[in-house]
Amino acid sequence: MGNGKTQLACLLLFCLLRHTAGFVFWTAMVEISYVNNQNETTDKYCECGVFGRNSAVERVQGLVTVPKGDPKGCGSNPVYNRNASSPPWIALVKRGNCTFSEKILAAKHQGAAAVVVYNYEGTFNSTTHMSHPETKGIVAIMIGNLQGMEIYKLVQNGTDVNLVIDVGSPHGPWMDAYWLYFLSIAFFIVTTASIAYFVFISANRLYNLRMHRRSERRLKSEAKKAIQRLQVRTLKRGDEETTSDTTVCAICIESYKAGEVVTVLTCDHIFHKTCIEPWLLERRTCPMCKCDILKALGVEEEDKDGIDSNSPPEVTVITVAGGDALYEVPLTDASSPQYYDNRSFEGEPARG
């Protein structure tokens, strides 16, 4: 059971990892290089971009180009200063007015090697994970507004800005350290709960088994007391049981013979004493009519009231069939003591 619970926990965690893997995203290393007004080369490098969900995750470089007129690069045919025959170039467009897919497709159709989208005003350098399912096969990243505006102003002023986009590091729920901690804790909790459940079930079964055995021992002890109260007879020649061919012991299926000792149950059925006593110790009911001798003799109730079972009062049992009292059967006779062949009843201390 414990192994099954552990395997189930592992399967659930595997499914969780499988589904969360779709939320993994890659950061982009962005490097810009240009010559400033002092004729000095300026290089800036940061891990500040995020690859789109449908972007090709690979290295690319080229000169930054912005669309003429609308910086958002929307419309069916935005105009860039370069074309497909030019050296590799990268389109820089602003977020807004149209979908990411429309911006990226427009630049791709005019020969852009990659597309860089910078965020809205007021978002500073925050980014988002773009979704553009119609534009597979081209590199597309997003950068922050401040960085995008800086590059946009340089290009607008006529500065050639060389941009290199490189692959950064993967991020996402199951890649981050806090999520790994969460998964570890969740796995520990599931495993602990499984073990605790297994221990609880095992302890409960052991307890029930112990209680069952204790109940069986108690009932067997009560059955011994009940057997001591039953009437015992020695069959004689001429008795009805010895002369009838149809009257047999229902346990051993043997006919009764003179000199055999039989036990008469409270329901008036008789059996060989050596046959019925082991039966009653285990089942405590008549083999023929299922009469419960413990209930018929009231052994359990008497034992609770503290009455000595070795000195029982004279008991009379009324056998009822169809709701009518038929006859009475005395179970004990003070003038004729009873003797038993079963040694399990000899020398047993009385319990009140």
Side-chain angles (χ1 to χ4, degrees):
M1 179 183 292
N3 292 335
K5 293 289 184 180
T6 304
Q7 291 174 358
L8 178 60
C10 293
L11 179 61
L12 291 175
L13 290 177
F14 172 77
C15 293
L16 181 62
L17 289 175
R18 183 177 178 182
H19 287 289
T20 55
F23 295 100
V24 175
F25 62 92
W26 292 81
T27 57
M29 313 299 295
V30 178
E31 180 182 358
I32 60 174
S33 178
Y34 61 92
V35 179
N36 59 24
N37 295 331
Q38 288 76 33
N39 203 27
E40 296 176 350
T41 301
T42 301
D43 295 315
K44 294 184 179 181
Y45 180 83
C46 65
E47 188 177 2
C48 49
V50 178
F51 281 92
R53 293 184 183 180
N54 310 100
S55 170
V57 182
E58 58 188 35
R59 177 186 170 89
V60 66
Q61 65 179 1
L63 289 174
V64 178
T65 302
V66 297
K68 291 182 179 180
D70 184 9
K72 296 181 176 64
C74 296
S76 59
N77 190 23
V79 178
Y80 290 89
N81 289 329
R82 299 182 184 274
N83 52 50
S85 61
S86 302
W89 59 279
I90 297 174
L92 176 67
V93 294
K94 186 178 181 180
R95 181 180 183 181
N97 283 3
C98 57
T99 65
F100 295 122
S101 294
E102 292 173 346
K103 297 175 186 291
I104 297 169
L105 282 176
K108 180 181 179 182
H109 289 161
Q110 296 190 36
V115 179
V116 177
V117 180
Y118 60 95
N119 214 346
Y120 301 120
E121 291 92 347
T123 57
F124 302 99
N125 280 327
S126 64
T127 58
T128 186
H129 197 194
M130 297 187 300
S131 177
H132 43 95
E134 297 88 357
T135 61
K136 297 180 181 179
I138 183 172
V139 173
I141 69 169
M142 175 176 280
I143 61 176
N145 177 264
L146 297 181
Q147 294 157 336
M149 289 301 300
E150 179 184 0
I151 300 173
Y152 179 80
K153 290 177 181 178
L154 288 172
V155 176
Q156 285 290 83
N157 292 333
T159 303
D160 290 335
V161 180
N162 187 62
L163 177 63
V164 178
I165 300 174
D166 207 350
V167 180
S169 55
H171 293 270
W174 68 277
M175 297 298 296
D176 293 337
Y178 77 89
W179 189 249
L180 290 177
Y181 296 149
F182 173 78
L183 289 180
S184 300
I185 294 173
F187 180 79
F188 174 77
I189 292 174
V190 172
T191 304
T192 303
S194 301
I195 295 174
Y197 178 78
F198 173 75
V199 172
F200 172 77
I201 292 298
S202 300
N204 188 58
R205 287 185 176 181
L206 290 175
Y207 174 78
N208 290 337
L209 181 60
R210 185 178 297 111
M211 295 301 295
H212 176 72
R213 289 176 177 174
R214 183 180 300 176
S215 176
E216 285 296 317
R217 288 195 298 267
R218 183 184 62 82
L219 290 175
K220 186 174 291 188
S221 176
E222 301 297 341
K224 289 181 181 180
K225 298 177 183 179
I227 292 172
Q228 291 176 354
R229 296 186 180 188
L230 296 175
Q231 181 186 8
V232 177
R233 291 171 46 198
T234 301
L235 298 178
K236 301 177 182 179
R237 293 183 182 276
D239 286 347
E240 181 182 356
E241 293 80 7
T242 61
T243 57
S244 175
D245 295 333
T246 59
T247 305
V248 296
C249 176
I251 299 176
C252 66
I253 318 300
E254 294 288 340
S255 300
Y256 295 109
K257 300 179 181 59
E260 292 180 335
V261 180
V262 296
T263 299
V264 182
L265 301 189
T266 57
C267 54
D268 204 31
H269 292 127
I270 67 171
F271 305 90
H272 288 124
K273 183 176 181 295
T274 55
C275 296
I276 193 60
E277 287 182 352
W279 174 282
L280 293 177
L281 285 176
E282 296 297 330
R283 297 171 178 83
R284 298 170 291 279
T285 59
C286 173
M288 298 181 66
C289 66
K290 305 301 180 183
C291 174
D292 191 328
I293 65 168
L294 296 183
K295 291 183 178 179
L297 295 174
V299 174
E300 292 179 293
E301 288 75 13
E302 290 183 6
D303 193 54
K304 293 178 183 178
D305 296 335
I307 299 177
D308 187 358
S309 61
N310 285 341
S311 302
E314 184 175 349
V315 179
T316 301
V317 176
I318 301 177
T319 302
V320 178
D324 298 327
L326 300 182
Y327 50 84
E328 298 181 355
V329 180
L331 297 181
T332 59
D333 187 354
S335 61
S336 57
Q338 306 295 329
Y339 299 95
Y340 299 91
D341 298 331
N342 193 331
R343 294 184 179 180
S344 62
F345 305 110
E346 296 179 1
E348 181 179 357
R351 293 192 299 173

